[in-house]
Amino acid sequence: VLYAKLKLHLLLTLIPAALLTAAALVVLQPEPVYFLLIPVAVGLFAVLMGLVGLCLGLKMPNLSWTDETVPVKQSLSVMLTLFGGWVIVLGLGGLYFAVAQWIAPAVYLGLASVLLAGASAVLFGWLRTRGAAIFRWL
């Protein structure tokens, strides 16, 4: 069930993200290295946000709702996932501006992608073990 939720999230977010990323690459026409790094970073961010949403949903389930929109649109886990994504983007952007004079943009984007992949791997591991156990007992 958890994998199905993650796959649906990726289906609903990666397709529009890929279209918008492709449009941005066509309009901005960056150096060739960015044609690989930008889509990778966007995809990893989408994966991370899906995993964050699933993990927070398991840790803070809302099982006493009376309307279907409450757990989907008004739960604490949804709010934390949304604002947490903003914090991640602002944090990565702020960190870039802090270190931009010492590191090339392509290197920073690669390091940010590694950081996003590492965080996703940690959350995916938690989801497969403790998250699955929590889901089993809900």
Side-chain angles (χ1 to χ4, degrees):
V1 171
L2 297 175
Y3 292 138
K5 286 181 65 103
L6 181 61
K7 286 179 183 179
L8 181 62
H9 166 80
L10 294 176
L11 179 70
L12 294 176
T13 58
L14 283 179
I15 293 172
L19 293 172
L20 292 172
T21 301
L25 291 174
V26 167
V27 170
L28 297 174
Q29 297 180 358
E31 297 175 23
V33 68
Y34 295 106
F35 277 92
L36 173 67
L37 289 174
I38 291 173
V40 166
V42 168
L44 288 170
F45 183 76
V47 170
L48 179 64
M49 287 295 92
L51 290 167
V52 166
L54 275 174
C55 292
L56 287 175
L58 287 171
K59 291 301 282 182
M60 296 179 279
N62 184 355
L63 303 176
S64 60
W65 49 270
T66 56
D67 181 19
E68 292 86 2
T69 60
V70 172
V72 175
K73 303 255 183 206
Q74 299 174 357
S75 68
L76 181 61
S77 63
V78 171
M79 183 184 72
L80 290 176
T81 301
L82 174 69
F83 292 126
W86 293 0
V87 168
I88 291 169
V89 169
L90 289 173
L92 288 173
L95 182 61
Y96 172 70
F97 285 115
V99 300
Q101 60 188 356
W102 298 292
I103 190 168
V107 173
Y108 183 80
L109 191 55
L111 291 173
S113 296
V114 168
L115 183 65
L116 292 171
S120 295
V122 168
L123 289 178
F124 189 73
W126 183 88
L127 194 64
R128 289 184 58 209
T129 56
R130 297 204 52 216
I134 291 171
F135 183 75
R136 187 176 325 125
W137 293 107
L138 285 179

